[in-house]
Amino acid sequence: MSNAPATPAVNASVKRTTTALVVGVLAVVFDTTIMSVALHSLSTQLHVPVSTIQWVTTGYVLALAATVPLSAWVQRLVGGKRAWMFALTLFLLGSVLCSLAWNAESLIAFRVVQGIGGGLMLPLLQTIVMQAAGGRNLGRVAAAVGLPAMLGPILGPAVGGIILNWLDWRWIFWVNVPFCVVGLFLAWRMLPRDARSTPRPRLDVAGMVLLLPALVALLLGLSNSAGGDGFGATDAWLPLAIGGILLAAFVVYALRRGDRALVDLRLLRHRSVWSGSALLFLSGLAAYGIMLLLPLYLQQLRGFDVLAAGLFLVPQGLGTLASRSLAGRLTDRLGARWVAVVGFAIVGAATIPFAFSTATTNEWLLMALLFVRGFGLGAIVMPLMVASFQGLASADIPHSSIITRTAQQLGGSFGTAVLAVILQSGLTAHATQGTSGVATAYDQGFWWSIGFTALAVVLSLALPGRPAPAPDAHTPGPEAPSADASAAPTPARSAV
């Protein structure tokens, strides 16, 4: 029998908070996954080239990235409940406006409104729930919070395909409305009241001027590097260089300013934060960048259409969903380290057969491998989320949310860009070999992903081990913990 101490049940207050937030964030998750299969149809129906309609996604991502660092300040200014309801209302407004767009330019502008709302919601989701949990049952709480991200890849592409096949494209955005409306009602009823923050927090304008353009420039450069010239294209390396300089300047500035900075980077001194953030970035290369390869592999090498490719990837989402609860419980009992090590190892092992696959590889075998790969992905998400907050005081959680969310977003974009360059290079080098040359190019991409996964397995050993029980672990939590507890720092309740 295991010597790990049993963990108490999640208290009712945390469950209510989690339920209210998860329903609202489903709008963001489904919107993102549905849009991933909608760009070609939007290009056709709005009579614009793909290069233009691509900004429907790019504009959203850039707005989201620029807003994430502001979430801690907004929460301290108005409180967690008000900040969440404001962000969800903004996303609802953007969704309705997108459905009413009259051309591509207006649709892109309204997607930016959505991105601003989503950029506030994602870090607030983690912050409010983790503060409410008070250092207890973080694995199971993270499993609940991560549920929307797991449902999205399962249902999103299918829902998007149904809408685009039988309904007008505007219904893509009306899907968000029920989640937003119900989410607002639940937030009003279930989220704890906000405590007043005194004194009123000041916005770090200098930090904002450095960090926000840095993130936008980096993501823009990574997005542009997916073209034929890769990182050598001027519209790729120039934004990357500018973003890198601004980011370096912000790091120097933030370390000097300490907790008065827009994002308190001193938290990276905690092993839990730097290791979790580094792995979230690396997971973009090791785990999620491959999501660029898989749909293209199915369409270009095996002749699938968009809807068929989306449905073919459903087993991976099911595998992720299957491991959700188990990964959460094991993280609470064993700690993040070994759960992440095993998760990355499963992802790498399940990806190896794709590096040997051809246009005639059995489809049922590939679907089974996708399920196993998804099972491993589910075991990665939980421990990394938990590790990033382990041992932190309540006041530090909003800043950790920003750091980890930014690392994950940059890692995903970087992973996609790197694998796109590798794939394009392989396709060019083997262009004269026909189908076998295409298969070789994809094999190279898969091998690079496997290599990054092996690196992630090693780095996972730096994650914190089994958490010590919280001092009041067997005492029911307060019925209504403050949603903006960051206003009043409290001692850390979870040891590394």
Side-chain angles (χ1 to χ4, degrees):
M1 294 181 63
S2 172
N3 293 323
T7 53
V10 178
N11 69 56
S13 176
V14 177
K15 288 181 179 178
R16 289 198 301 271
T17 298
T18 303
T19 299
L21 297 177
V22 165
V23 171
V25 84
L26 279 171
V28 180
V29 172
F30 279 112
D31 180 86
T32 302
T33 53
I34 290 175
M35 285 302 300
S36 67
V37 300
L39 293 182
H40 178 73
S41 297
L42 289 174
S43 173
T44 302
Q45 296 185 39
L46 292 175
H47 310 292
V48 292
V50 173
S51 58
T52 298
I53 208 63
Q54 181 66 37
W55 277 93
V56 169
T57 297
T58 303
Y60 174 86
V61 170
L62 296 182
L64 186 145
T67 312
V68 164
L70 297 174
S71 60
W73 174 77
V74 172
Q75 183 184 3
R76 290 170 56 206
L77 181 67
V78 301
K81 180 175 182 175
R82 294 189 189 95
W84 176 261
M85 294 184 70
F86 168 75
L88 187 53
T89 300
L90 199 59
F91 193 86
L92 171 61
L93 175 63
S95 299
V96 173
L97 290 174
C98 284
S99 72
L100 302 176
W102 53 92
N103 56 24
E105 290 74 18
S106 62
L107 178 59
I108 293 168
F110 296 146
R111 283 283 287 170
V112 170
V113 176
Q114 276 189 310
I116 294 173
L120 290 174
M121 288 174 65
L122 296 176
L124 280 172
L125 170 72
Q126 295 178 186
T127 297
I128 296 173
V129 170
M130 291 299 172
Q131 286 177 336
R136 297 181 294 272
N137 301 312
L138 295 186
R140 279 180 282 180
V141 170
V145 171
L147 179 60
M150 299 173 188
L151 288 176
I154 300 173
L155 301 178
V159 172
I162 291 171
I163 291 174
L164 293 171
N165 277 323
W166 288 290
L167 298 172
D168 187 81
W169 65 266
R170 300 177 189 276
W171 282 97
I172 292 173
F173 302 102
W174 282 108
V175 169
N176 304 332
V177 173
F179 293 112
C180 291
V181 172
V182 176
L184 283 170
F185 175 76
L186 293 179
W188 172 60
R189 293 297 303 269
M190 293 184 173
L191 293 186
R193 291 191 299 272
D194 293 317
R196 292 188 177 276
S197 176
T198 54
R200 295 176 67 84
R202 292 185 177 181
L203 177 62
D204 178 15
V205 177
M208 181 178 69
V209 170
L210 289 172
L211 182 58
L212 271 58
L215 296 177
V216 170
L218 287 171
L219 288 172
L220 181 61
L222 290 171
S223 175
N224 291 338
S225 66
D229 294 329
F231 291 102
T234 303
D235 62 353
W237 69 260
L238 183 58
L240 286 173
I242 294 173
I245 293 171
L246 289 174
L247 184 60
F250 174 78
V251 169
V252 174
Y253 166 83
L255 290 177
R256 291 178 177 177
R257 192 169 175 83
D259 61 0
R260 294 176 298 154
L262 186 65
V263 182
D264 188 357
L265 295 184
R266 297 178 306 169
L267 291 178
L268 291 171
R269 296 172 182 171
H270 292 261
R271 184 177 69 168
S272 59
V273 178
W274 74 255
S275 60
S277 300
L279 279 164
L280 282 169
F281 179 88
L282 188 58
S283 69
L285 287 161
Y288 296 101
I290 202 173
M291 292 308 295
L292 166 77
L293 296 181
L294 286 173
L296 292 176
Y297 163 81
L298 293 171
Q299 294 175 67
Q300 190 170 1
L301 193 61
R302 304 186 72 92
F304 285 32
D305 60 26
V306 175
L307 179 58
L311 293 175
F312 194 88
L313 297 175
V314 166
Q316 181 167 263
L318 292 174
T320 306
L321 187 63
S323 64
R324 177 181 64 96
S325 298
L326 176 62
R329 290 195 301 270
L330 290 177
T331 300
D332 283 335
R333 293 177 62 84
L334 305 177
R337 182 187 304 149
W338 295 111
V339 179
V341 167
V342 173
F344 276 114
I346 291 174
V347 169
T351 307
I352 289 176
F354 283 92
F356 294 100
S357 63
T358 66
T360 59
T361 303
N362 184 275
E363 294 180 359
W364 289 103
L365 172 62
L366 294 180
M367 293 174 71
L369 290 168
L370 285 173
F371 180 87
V372 175
R373 191 174 187 279
F375 194 90
L377 287 175
I380 291 172
V381 175
M382 296 307 109
L384 296 187
M385 183 182 295
V386 169
S388 302
F389 298 100
Q390 200 170 311
L392 298 184
S394 181
D396 295 330
I397 290 177
H399 293 275
S400 181
S401 294
I402 294 172
I403 293 171
T404 54
R405 176 60 60 179
T406 301
Q408 187 175 26
Q409 187 172 16
L410 288 175
S413 297
F414 186 66
T416 300
V418 168
L419 289 182
V421 170
I422 292 171
L423 176 61
Q424 185 60 44
S425 175
L427 290 173
T428 301
H430 303 284
T432 60
Q433 300 176 18
T435 302
S436 63
V438 174
T440 300
Y442 279 100
D443 291 345
Q444 291 175 350
F446 288 126
W447 276 118
W448 275 93
S449 177
I450 293 164
F452 291 128
T453 306
L455 179 60
V457 170
V458 176
L459 184 57
S460 295
L461 296 174
L463 289 170
R466 180 190 302 171
D472 55 350
H474 294 284
T475 303
E479 189 63 16
S482 172
D484 71 332
S486 58
T490 59
R493 299 192 190 183
S494 177
V496 176

